[in-house]
Structures are given as C-alpha cells and as structure tokens.
Amino acid sequence: MGGVVNIVLDPILIFVFKMRVTGAAIAHVCSQYLISMVLLWKLIDHVDLLPPNINDLQLGRFLRNGLLLLIRVIAATFCVTLAASLSARLGSAEMAAFQVCLQVWLSASLLTDGLAVAGQAILAGAFARQDYESAKETASRVLQLSLALGLILAFIVGLGLTFSSGLFTNDVKVSQILSLGIPFVAATQPINSLAFVFDGINYGVSDFRYSAFSLVLVAFASVACLLLLSSYYGFVGIWVALSIFMSLRAIAGVWRIGTASGPWSFLNIY
C-alpha cells in the first residue's frame, strides 16, 4: 500500500506541481507514514501497547538494541552516501548513471528482505524455545534459498538492464557509463542476498552487538576503498568498492556462524 501511494504521488508532485526533488521526498515520507499507521493499527489487534506495568515494556533493552541498530544503519548509509557523493564529483552523466545502477541494485537486493524477515521470525521463535536443532535447520535453509534467489536476480537484472537501459535514459553518454555498472549490479546480487539474509538471521538470535560493530569495521575498510579506487578508476572504481563493501558484509556473517561464536555457540553441539 505504501509503495502504491509513493508511485501515485511521485508523478503528481514532481511533474504536475513542479516540486521535483522536494515532491519526491514528500511522496516518500507520506508513504512511510502510511505504512507505519497501518502496521500500528494491525499491531493494536494483537498486543497491548500500554501494559499495566511500565517495567513490562523493557525500555532499557529496546533502547540498547535500537542504538546498536542505529549505529549499523549509519555505517551502511554513510558508505552508500559517500559513493553517491563521489560519483557526483565525476560529473552529471556519471551521477545519473550511478543513481540508475544504485536504485536497481538496491531494489533487486531488497527483494531478499522478505526472506530475511521470515527467517528472522522463525529463528527467533526457535531460539527463544531453545530448540537449537530447528534454529540450525532454519538458518541453513534460509541461506540456501537466499543464494538461489541471488543467482536468479543476477540473471534477471543483468539481462534486464542490458536490454532495457533505454527506459531510464536516452542520453548517449549516460547510457555508455551505465553499461560499465551493469556487470557489478548483476554480479553482486548473490553476495547482496547473502549479506541481507545474514543480517536477518543474526537479528533472529539477538546478535545485535556483533551486527553493529562488524559493520562499523566493514564501513571503515569500504570508505578507504571508495576514496582510493574512485580517485584512480572513477565510476568503475566506485562500483568495485561497493562490491567490496557488500562482500565484506557477507564475509562477516559467514565468519560469525562459521566459527560458532556468540549466540551461535550452540552449533558446536548440534
């Protein structure tokens, strides 16, 4: 529903009311508020938002975990924002091509969010019951599905962008630069899919601290790659650095589970 509202409001505010970027921003904010209100309305039917005892809210725990997730979001957003800034410095054509690639890249990758959220919910339930065998099976199956989905998306995105790039721009220079980013957008889909699903299953076992601080370290390394590679290789360098960023995120997830450390220590038994 929120997406539909965004799609309807975008052309009205951008073109009819001539609000351009401001209109796009207003449409996005309106859609997010609508989604929040719908979720809140549904939530009221299932839980007591104001329990009799304020201690039952466990505000300290929520604030602590919320802060950790905020740190993670800031680190990830900073890398993508820096990449956009660096592409803008290369020129308007590079910036336009980068935005097309970025939006397709993120849109396709975020399709795995549904899988990540489902895995997170199932894993959290099993982990809370201390049903570690089910938790292990859930994590394994979700990761298998994410890899398969990533490979499918790589094929669809690569083929789709190659033959339909004209839908995004009719500028020859932008199209030429866009063709340089297509291989990266397509080839990184399996990596992105795994990275997002690793996030979900780590949240499912309440591994928020590791998720936050591992991404901060990944962000530091990725920022260095962005600054270095963009200065030498321009547009291609930016996409190489973003590919490194997502690869490091996936590796961080593999390492946590592969070493059976933190909440995943039960894997040493099962």
Side-chain angles (χ1 to χ4, degrees), residues 37-267:
M37 287 188 291
V38 170
L39 290 175
L40 184 62
W41 176 53
K42 292 293 184 182
L43 189 62
I44 291 173
D45 293 336
H46 299 283
V47 299
D48 295 322
L49 295 182
L50 294 174
N53 189 347
I54 192 67
N55 293 326
D56 292 337
L57 290 176
Q58 301 183 47
L59 290 176
R61 181 181 180 187
F62 283 110
L63 289 174
R64 182 175 63 254
N65 292 335
L67 177 61
L68 290 171
L69 290 178
L70 178 62
I71 292 172
R72 181 179 177 84
V73 169
I74 291 173
T77 304
F78 183 82
C79 289
V80 177
T81 304
L82 177 61
S85 174
L86 292 171
S87 68
R89 297 177 190 179
L90 297 174
S92 58
E94 286 81 1
M95 180 59 179
F98 176 81
Q99 284 301 322
V100 172
C101 289
L102 180 67
Q103 294 307 315
V104 173
W105 190 59
L106 292 178
S107 298
S109 300
L110 288 174
L111 289 174
T112 60
D113 253 11
L115 184 60
V117 171
Q120 176 184 343
I122 297 172
L123 189 59
F127 195 74
R129 296 190 306 271
Q130 296 185 350
D131 185 358
Y132 297 127
E133 184 62 35
S134 294
K136 177 183 176 181
E137 292 177 0
T138 299
S140 176
R141 182 58 56 87
V142 171
L143 288 171
Q144 291 170 1
L145 291 173
S146 71
L147 181 59
L149 179 58
L151 292 171
I152 294 171
L153 287 173
F155 175 77
I156 294 174
V157 169
L159 196 64
L161 265 182
T162 300
F163 293 101
S164 63
S165 58
L167 295 175
F168 299 100
T169 180
N170 55 8
D171 187 285
V172 175
K173 185 176 180 181
V174 174
S175 296
Q176 290 175 344
I177 299 172
L178 182 61
S179 65
L180 299 176
I182 292 175
F184 296 100
V185 175
T188 54
Q189 289 305 314
I191 298 172
N192 296 358
S193 182
L194 285 172
F196 285 125
V197 169
F198 271 124
D199 288 346
I201 61 177
N202 275 327
Y203 298 159
V205 296
S206 298
D207 202 4
F208 299 107
R209 185 179 299 275
Y210 175 80
S211 296
F213 292 115
S214 65
L215 190 57
V216 170
L217 294 176
V218 167
F220 275 119
S222 302
V223 166
C225 290
L226 277 166
L227 295 174
L228 181 65
L229 294 174
S230 65
S231 64
Y232 283 98
Y233 303 105
F235 184 82
V236 172
I238 292 173
W239 277 103
V240 171
L242 286 176
S243 300
I244 293 173
F245 169 60
M246 294 306 298
S247 298
L248 291 176
R249 285 181 64 174
I251 289 171
V254 171
W255 183 87
R256 188 64 158 174
I257 295 179
T259 57
S261 53
W264 297 100
S265 58
F266 68 85
L267 293 176

